[in-house]
Amino acid sequence: MINMDFLTKQIDLTHKKNISVPQRTVAEEIFGMDRHFSSRIGRVVDALQQAGYEPYAQLISYVNTGDDTYITRRGGAREIARTIDPGILREYLRCMDMNRS
């Protein structure tokens, strides 16, 4: 199972002196206004795992080629993946890769 804990890890933005900045999660910082991203990517990742695929490899192939057949139809994952902005998905995968090391 892929560890997605980094999505909810708090970023301390209060290190700047005399600036009051609320703490934000990594997901809020990276994925901005797309509040449904975490739910959608979680559903896609779960569907890929249930279908017996390695989600990271499938998502990387999907992003690199644009070929949605890398995403299973199980649970509507392919349709969900199509609703995710490719740039946001690339950034998510970059973060995912950093956490895999």
Side-chain angles (χ1 to χ4, degrees):
M1 179 147 199
I2 294 178
N3 181 352
M4 294 194 303
D5 290 342
F6 71 92
L7 287 175
T8 56
K9 181 179 175 188
Q10 293 290 318
I11 298 174
D12 182 11
L13 299 175
T14 59
H15 61 279
K16 305 240 181 210
K17 202 171 192 178
N18 299 325
I19 297 177
S20 176
V21 180
Q23 287 192 339
R24 298 170 70 182
T25 65
V26 172
E28 290 168 335
E29 189 68 23
I30 294 172
F31 309 118
M33 298 305 292
D34 192 349
R35 297 171 192 236
H36 301 289
F37 175 82
S38 183
S39 170
R40 288 184 290 158
I41 194 65
R43 290 174 59 192
V44 171
V45 167
D46 288 345
L48 287 167
Q49 288 174 333
Q50 290 171 6
Y53 297 111
E54 201 288 306
Y56 180 79
Q58 295 302 113
L59 289 168
I60 284 289
S61 296
Y62 168 61
V63 167
N64 287 339
T65 66
D67 182 358
D68 65 3
T69 59
Y70 282 102
I71 308 299
T72 183
R73 290 181 189 265
R74 181 182 290 227
R78 190 174 294 170
E79 290 73 28
I80 294 168
R82 287 183 194 136
T83 69
I84 299 172
D85 179 91
I88 292 173
L89 186 53
R90 276 188 189 88
E91 187 62 23
Y92 168 78
L93 291 168
R94 188 184 67 75
C95 292
M96 190 187 226
D97 186 48
M98 290 184 334
N99 284 303
R100 289 169 50 121
S101 322

